[in-house]
Amino acid sequence: MSGLATLETGLLLGLYALLAGIWGVLWGLAQFRQTQICGRSAAAAYGLHVLAALTIILWTPLGFGWKSLIVGSSLVFLAIPPMTWRLLQHTHQKEGSEHDRQPSQYSSRIVARL
Amino acid sequence: MYRSQTLALKYFSAAITLFGVMTITGLISAYYYLNPDFLLGILPFNIAKILHINTLVMWLLMGFMGSIYWFLPAELGRETAGIWAAEILFYVFCAAVAVVAVVFIFIQYGGSNEAALWFINQGRKYVEAPRWAALGIVVIMVVFAYNVIGTAIAARKTTGIITVLMIDLIPLILLYLIAFPAISNMSADLFWWWWLVHLWVEATWEVLIGCIMALALMQLLGTSRRIVETWLYIEVALVLGTGILGLGHHYFWIGTPNYWLTIGGFFSALEPLPLLGMVVHAVYDAGAQHMKTTNRPAFYWMMAEAFGNFIGAGVWGFMITLPQINLYAHGTQWTVSHGHFAFWGAYSCGVISVLYLVLQKTRNLAFVDGPLWKWSFAALNLGLVGMTGALLVSGFVQAFVERAIGGSTLNAFISGQENAWFVDGMVARFLLALVFTAGYVVLVWDVLTLGRRAPAVAAVAPAQ
Amino acid sequence: MVVDDPAFWRAGAISTIAVMSVVLIMLTIDSLAAISPGGSHVPPYTVINQHIDYKFDSNRGFDVPVISGAEPLFGKSLDEATAAALIDRGKMVIQSRACIDCHTFFGNGAYYAPDLTKAWLDPDWEGWQAVTGTDTREAAMVKFLMDPEQYRTWTRAMPNLGVSEEEAQSLVAYLKWMAAVDTNGFPPNFNQIEKRQ
Ligand code: HEM
Ligand code: HEM
Ligand SMILES: [Fe+2]
């Protein structure tokens, strides 16, 4: 395994994770501004992320197990923004109930008696 | 104001002062790479660097403690228990830090005996402080834990966040005990040392800053407790679920069995996943608030924390965490690049965010904004990100020239350090560090004058 | 719904932490055995009485330490207790002078000065032998460690740390022992390239 190829793999892995982050941010922005450009750039970011993943899989000297991990992570990265979002919306829907808004000392529900 | 909150202010002042000492000693260490005869024989590189990384740990700890002393009484509705002890220990803490610094600067090292480790220098990275001072830190942290737990008991109540905090403080303090032994066997020494370093920054500190950010979110954005607590539990589960065994990414080459290559690589490669969740969460909060807030610096620094944690720890860590790559990147400027970005993103930004929240209350400001914080925010972040970029270039060259081609002998080391790209990276790092330092100066200026300048800059709320 | 009940996530957090901690403790017990002197990865301290090399192992696919034949340090073969005392002393010198804040050991420390993992095997000692006028590697190392500024090889000098002769000898013993630790092939290519040429 050549040293340079391994080191370039390191940079590719960084790019891979960075693009996943950009995908997450753009996906979130697209939920607020439902313009085409936002949605498309989010998709493009994920597309580039997949491209980085493919480059890692086809071109780098990593073993099979590590490459599977890359594929698996890409799938999880795909799911994280929508899943986080849904959960956030779900929890925020119930925000209305008054006792939650009170400072802790009045909120008997979550105050465990010691 | 509670006495606990007055104490918090003192802790923040001390933290920001040490942040300054850290910056200066960082500059000295960095300048050594450009001019190796600089201060040689007066303050050698290792002593400057010891001061740099120890003040780093201390100012962050002080920032965390200040944050908790600030939020705790409001959270539990009463004065912090045993506050008198905490007040005394604050001065003991400051005096101890000063004495340790003076000993490092003027005495530097002793003979090869236990006395030197007790009174001068323990010579173990990040925990070089002599044992007497380390004992003092244990006492201070135990009293701190007592303050938190005792307040909950006295108030006869706790909240989800405070419960997580109380439980988290126990391993955090226990891990610090690893600062004491001097194990002859370097493999065993480093094995335990990494429990301390990794299980602090990638486990117990992550939980601690999670609690602090949860409390800050409730104050800053009025997010409901139920939501904040749900997220805190999710974060704790995912961060510790990946971070505990992620410890293995430090056990590749220290003499440990090779199953760590698989375990450490696998679990640490999962560590960025929960960090992306936090970024998405930050985007949600920003969007839901339409970027409107009464405390813009606190809000922006909080956003910087979420992004910085993901990029600095997640992305920069991910580059070097698989064993194949770590074999070459290990112990090079690449590591330094990651260490700076991660510490900055995950912890420093969070502490600065809470600082602005505290200032808003103590200076009674309805609205915190103005030009100064923007300049310091820009200079600090650009300076730091620029530094990590420069270090990445140097680190890549070092990994290639010294490790991959040269084979890590003294000669290989020298050819890596003398490579033109490496040198350029070091020069760029130093110049960008000056930008960072300018940002620090503006930060101090802003913090000192906030709310005391012309009312056009920060409107003063009517007295309550 | 269960996912927005904090109690659900609290239970999840507690069980994940419990499982991971138990696994970590089990692995720790196993690793501590492997890394104790004389364990599967770390040689006994008496290894300083032997010849140490670092060679490519085609089964494992990387360089491993090769321990062979007698080669007593400073010409004296040491028993277990004396060797252990020397290593203890060496570690004390290393900590008291904070070598790790300039150098790395097994790649951990600071990056201002070369990695010391295989410093014992560094081909440069030959040159230092000539400069210091000594006829063995260990003697050259002792001279260098006692007065590194005088024997500096490039612009970046190691400062004089007040190391006595006895302390320097314990350091050499420490470095020799460390070179015999099985580090899963770190540092890569050490010495190989120069040897192949
Ligand atoms: C808040 C989170 C983090 C902080 C503050 C942090 C900080 C650091 C620091 C200071 C070092 C250098 C340690 C030393 O040798 O003195 C380091 C090393 C390392 N970190 Fe992180 N880190 C964080 C998260 C992560 C994550 C999430 C990953 C992986 C994805 C990671 C991967 C690594 C690796 C592989 C090393 C070893 C580098 C080497 O071999 O030299 N870190 N980290
Ligand atoms: C003025 C800005 C700064 C400069 C010039 C600077 C410079 C340096 C230098 C030269 C080192 C020694 C690296 C080596 O061994 O070669 C170092 C280490 C370190 N610094 Fe800084 N630093 C600065 C700011 C910071 C900040 C803001 C943080 C954290 C928030 C930080 C955290 C660290 C850490 C964790 C290490 C140990 C990293 C490792 O050994 O891998 N530094 N710094
Ligand atoms: Fe780590």
Side-chain angles (χ1 to χ4, degrees):
Chain A
M1 199 189 299
S2 112
L4 189 59
T6 321
L7 288 171
E8 284 166 355
T9 310
L11 293 182
L12 273 170
L13 288 168
L15 196 64
Y16 164 93
L18 192 62
L19 285 165
I22 296 176
W23 142 250
V25 172
L26 291 175
W27 192 91
L29 285 182
Q31 305 310 301
F32 286 115
R33 285 190 212 144
Q34 307 212 324
T35 55
Q36 266 196 345
I37 177 92
C38 273
R40 283 201 186 145
S41 39
Y46 193 76
L48 287 173
H49 167 81
V50 170
L51 204 66
L54 278 177
T55 317
I56 292 170
I57 287 157
L58 298 176
W59 182 77
T60 66
L62 291 181
F64 177 76
W66 299 110
K67 288 181 176 172
S68 317
L69 183 65
I70 293 295
V71 176
S73 291
S74 281
L75 294 176
V76 181
F77 275 133
L78 178 64
I80 284 176
M83 269 173 51
T84 313
W85 210 265
R86 191 142 5 117
L87 194 58
L88 278 164
Q89 280 180 330
H90 213 88
T91 39
H92 277 268
Q93 263 168 19
K94 303 209 169 164
E95 205 174 353
S97 49
E98 259 318 299
H99 65 259
D100 262 359
R101 286 238 170 244
Q102 304 275 341
S104 63
Q105 54 266 47
Y106 305 111
S107 143
S108 53
R109 262 197 69 184
I110 33 178
V111 170
R113 279 298 208 180
L114 277 174
Chain B
M1 213 160 62
Y2 291 102
R3 273 166 74 186
S4 183
Q5 295 185 318
T6 314
L7 178 62
L9 273 178
K10 289 185 190 150
Y11 264 111
F12 275 108
S13 323
I16 293 298
T17 310
L18 285 182
F19 179 9
V21 179
M22 181 197 88
T23 307
I24 294 166
T25 48
L27 284 172
I28 297 174
S29 316
Y31 191 64
Y32 259 107
Y33 278 89
L34 311 184
N35 178 4
D37 282 331
F38 177 65
L39 298 185
L40 187 75
I42 301 165
L43 190 74
F45 174 87
N46 61 338
I47 302 296
K49 203 210 77 167
I50 288 175
L51 289 167
H52 177 59
I53 58 180
N54 283 261
T55 44
L56 162 71
V57 175
M58 288 305 134
W59 86 261
L60 290 179
L61 270 181
M62 286 184 163
F64 297 154
M65 289 169 68
S67 307
I68 300 295
Y69 282 127
W70 175 262
F71 288 120
L72 188 68
E75 178 78 358
L76 294 179
R78 82 182 292 285
E79 180 62 82
T80 296
I83 187 68
W84 59 273
E87 282 167 350
I88 297 171
L89 283 178
F90 169 75
Y91 292 103
V92 176
F93 199 168
C94 293
V97 169
V99 173
V100 171
V102 166
V103 170
F104 278 155
I105 295 172
F106 295 105
I107 303 185
Q108 301 182 353
Y109 51 80
S112 47
N113 48 45
E114 289 278 338
L117 307 191
W118 274 101
F119 299 107
I120 302 170
N121 191 333
Q122 285 205 70
R124 286 167 86 227
K125 192 176 181 188
Y126 301 111
V127 284
E128 287 91 348
R131 284 187 187 141
W132 71 266
L135 264 180
I137 291 171
V138 172
V139 172
I140 287 161
M141 288 202 300
V142 168
V143 169
F144 174 62
Y146 164 72
N147 289 145
V148 177
I149 297 169
T151 310
I153 291 173
R156 301 191 61 74
K157 71 172 68 116
T158 177
T159 64
I161 301 174
I162 298 297
T163 308
V164 172
L165 174 67
M166 289 191 292
I167 298 173
D168 186 51
L169 286 177
I170 296 166
L172 197 152
I173 294 172
L174 287 178
L175 285 168
Y176 186 71
L177 299 179
I178 298 172
F180 291 91
I183 304 172
S184 293
N185 174 354
M186 189 60 86
S187 293
D189 184 8
L190 288 171
F191 186 91
W192 290 115
W193 179 81
W194 277 115
W195 272 58
L196 169 55
V197 176
H198 173 100
L199 293 181
W200 259 20
V201 302
E202 282 164 70
T204 49
W205 280 29
E206 283 274 9
V207 174
L208 181 55
I209 195 78
C211 294
I212 293 172
M213 288 293 108
L215 292 163
L217 259 179
M218 290 198 300
Q219 181 174 327
L220 181 67
L221 302 180
T223 317
S224 85
R225 177 173 295 281
R226 191 181 164 85
I227 300 180
V228 163
E229 288 187 348
T230 305
W231 281 96
L232 183 62
Y233 293 136
I234 297 178
E235 194 194 311
V236 168
L238 295 179
V239 167
L240 295 186
T242 56
I244 292 178
L245 287 178
L247 173 59
H249 64 191
H250 305 294
Y251 292 164
F252 297 156
W253 330 114
I254 64 166
T256 29
N258 58 358
Y259 51 70
W260 286 110
L261 300 187
T262 317
I263 295 171
F266 178 78
F267 282 94
S268 62
L270 300 181
E271 284 185 58
L273 299 172
L275 303 181
L276 178 64
M278 290 186 222
V279 166
V280 175
H281 191 167
V283 174
Y284 182 94
D285 281 340
Q289 304 293 321
H290 304 290
M291 305 292 274
K292 283 205 192 77
T293 154
T294 60
N295 192 332
R296 295 188 78 194
F299 181 75
Y300 273 83
W301 279 111
M302 197 181 281
M303 291 293 134
E305 199 268 345
F307 281 84
N309 199 352
F310 175 75
I311 303 178
V315 175
W316 253 244
F318 192 66
M319 279 197 258
I320 53 174
T321 209
L322 297 191
Q324 292 88 335
I325 293 130
N326 191 264
L327 178 63
Y328 300 101
H330 180 47
T332 63
Q333 298 296 330
W334 204 334
T335 309
V336 184
S337 177
H338 158 66
H340 279 84
F341 211 153
F343 257 110
W344 178 251
Y347 301 117
S348 309
C349 294
V351 169
I352 298 175
S353 172
V354 176
L355 171 64
Y356 273 104
L357 274 183
V358 170
L359 288 177
Q360 182 174 25
K361 294 269 163 159
T362 54
R363 308 247 168 106
N364 217 358
L365 307 173
F367 201 74
V368 182
D369 203 359
L372 281 186
W373 78 264
K374 288 179 195 149
W375 282 103
S376 80
F377 184 86
L380 284 168
N381 284 304
L382 285 178
L384 192 111
V385 173
M387 267 165 56
T388 56
L391 287 165
L392 184 64
V393 172
S394 291
F396 191 85
V397 172
Q398 187 184 357
F400 183 59
V401 175
E402 177 193 331
R403 291 280 151 79
I405 301 182
S408 304
T409 57
L410 172 61
N411 257 327
F413 178 79
I414 295 176
S415 47
Q417 303 286 311
E418 287 184 339
N419 180 288
W421 284 91
F422 182 94
V423 174
D424 288 349
M426 288 288 126
V427 172
R429 187 265 298 267
F430 187 76
L431 295 177
L432 287 152
L434 294 176
V435 175
F436 181 89
T437 310
Y440 169 78
V441 172
V442 180
L443 175 76
V444 172
W445 185 16
D446 190 33
V447 164
L448 288 178
T449 59
L450 193 74
R452 294 170 182 160
R453 294 191 296 270
V457 176
V460 181
Q464 282 170 349
Chain C
M1 214 171 97
V2 63
V3 291
D4 50 39
D5 183 2
F8 169 76
W9 294 104
R10 186 173 54 210
I14 294 171
S15 36
T16 325
I17 297 167
V19 171
M20 294 300 163
S21 306
V22 169
V23 176
L24 177 61
I25 288 168
M26 281 166 22
L27 291 171
T28 295
I29 292 170
D30 184 76
S31 293
L32 286 179
I35 63 177
S36 59
S40 57
H41 279 63
V42 173
Y45 295 138
T46 47
V47 78
I48 57 174
N49 294 325
Q50 284 176 286
H51 178 75
I52 294 159
D53 211 339
Y54 189 50
K55 289 208 175 107
F56 191 75
D57 178 334
S58 48
N59 284 330
R60 296 178 67 189
F62 47 74
D63 295 340
V64 296
V66 179
I67 299 158
S68 58
E71 190 191 295
L73 194 62
F74 304 110
K76 276 186 303 230
S77 195
L78 303 179
D79 62 28
E80 224 177 285
T82 325
L86 200 58
I87 296 289
D88 290 347
R89 187 71 197 275
K91 182 63 168 15
M92 275 298 202
V93 185
I94 288 170
Q95 280 191 228
S96 63
R97 308 305 200 282
C99 313
I100 204 165
D101 286 298
C102 277
H103 289 278
T104 48
F105 292 78
F106 300 136
N108 300 277
Y111 322 116
Y112 186 70
D115 182 52
L116 294 182
T117 310
K118 303 289 172 191
W120 166 257
L121 298 171
D122 196 315
D124 265 29
W125 293 118
E126 270 173 41
W128 260 312
Q129 248 168 264
V131 178
T132 54
T134 46
D135 47 10
T136 61
R137 170 166 35 181
E138 47 259 50
M141 291 176 85
V142 168
K143 283 228 160 169
F144 171 78
L145 289 169
M146 288 175 67
D147 197 357
E149 270 177 79
Q150 187 190 333
Y151 301 110
R152 68 196 278 176
T153 66
W154 62 314
T155 51
R156 207 181 290 171
M158 169 163 159
N160 209 325
L161 296 167
V163 172
S164 69
E165 180 163 9
E166 189 220 340
E167 285 177 330
Q169 287 174 346
S170 68
L171 284 173
V172 174
Y174 203 90
L175 293 174
K176 185 172 182 186
W177 164 76
M178 222 171 56
V181 172
D182 180 349
T183 50
N184 291 329
F186 179 86
N189 299 331
F190 185 87
N191 220 348
Q192 298 298 312
I193 292 150
E194 291 169 49
K195 269 189 194 157
R196 257 182 255 129
Q197 278 163 1

